Amino acid sequence: MLRVACLILFLFLISSSAFSALQVATVPPGGKLSKDQKTHAKAKGGEPSAEEFKEGEILLKFKKGVASGRKDKFHKKHGSKIIKEFRSDKVEWVKLKKGLSVEEAVSLYGADPDVEYVAPNYRRRARLLSSDPRFNELWGMHNTGQTGGTADADIDAPAAWDIATGDDGVVLAIIDTGIDYNHQDLAGNVWTNPGEIAGNGVDDDGNGYVDDVHGIDTCNGDSDPMDDAGHG
């Protein structure tokens, strides 16, 4: 398949406009401890990560069998107060005494033999997902087994978008059989050559290609990167 081996270069911009901004919130009074907070809970004596958390608060769980009176003495000793106890998880949402940082509390409380684990009260973030109405069909991005495949056999796109959704100032070069630069999902993000005047029949930027507005086709040796192999 010599045709497939030929290089067609096209450029496009990554845009974050397709992703929704989502609200940040902590565990509300009367709320239930989230799965993420359980996951983020550190073993006693562990250090909190760089992820945002609520200053002046921690989540604490005592070992099974620790009496209520012993727990009360523990909080009195450290000057802390229970905001809420999540009974199903036996986890306490704790207010720290003034002047005690979360990092210090994680280390101090975690060193106590009665403590099973202690964690910062991490801020809960809804996952960033594409607004594409057919996103659920893109199992390669986020696979829940929706097409009968293996769940999580994907590139973990939502997890990446939690960190960053892209920058429209970054230009990516893609080597493939071309691109449908008129497609509704791509047209708004396709790179446009600032040194070329479209349709004037002149090699304005002097790179050897006339009217290479969106890239070049090195296989056909022309300035049109439109896909003609049924792939891009």
Side-chain angles (χ1 to χ4, degrees), residues 65-140:
V66 177
S68 297
R70 194 175 181 88
K71 294 178 184 179
D72 292 340
K73 289 181 180 180
F74 176 92
H75 288 301
K76 185 175 181 179
K77 172 185 175 182
H78 295 298
S80 53
K81 295 181 179 179
I82 299 174
I83 300 173
K84 168 77 178 180
E85 181 178 0
F86 302 94
R87 297 185 182 280
S88 61
D89 302 290
K90 306 299 182 185
V91 172
E92 296 178 352
W93 177 14
V94 177
K95 176 74 173 178
L96 301 175
K97 71 176 182 180
K98 189 174 182 180
L100 182 64
S101 71
V102 169
E103 291 89 343
E104 291 170 335
V106 167
S107 179
L108 178 64
Y109 287 34
D112 193 286
D114 285 341
V115 174
E116 181 174 329
Y117 69 72
V118 58
N121 185 10
Y122 287 104
R123 295 184 183 275
R124 299 175 61 190
R125 296 179 183 273
R127 280 198 145 181
L128 291 170
L129 293 175
S130 170
S131 59
D132 187 332
R134 300 184 67 180
F135 176 71
N136 66 319
E137 298 176 31
L138 301 177
W139 62 265

Side-chain angles (χ1 to χ4, degrees), residues 14 18 24 26 36 48 56 81 83 118 138 144 163 165 182 198 213 231:
I14 300 298
V24 176
T26 55
D36 285 341
K81 295 181 179 179
I83 300 173
V118 58
L138 301 177
T144 60
I163 300 171
T165 56
N182 295 320
V213 179
H231 177 256

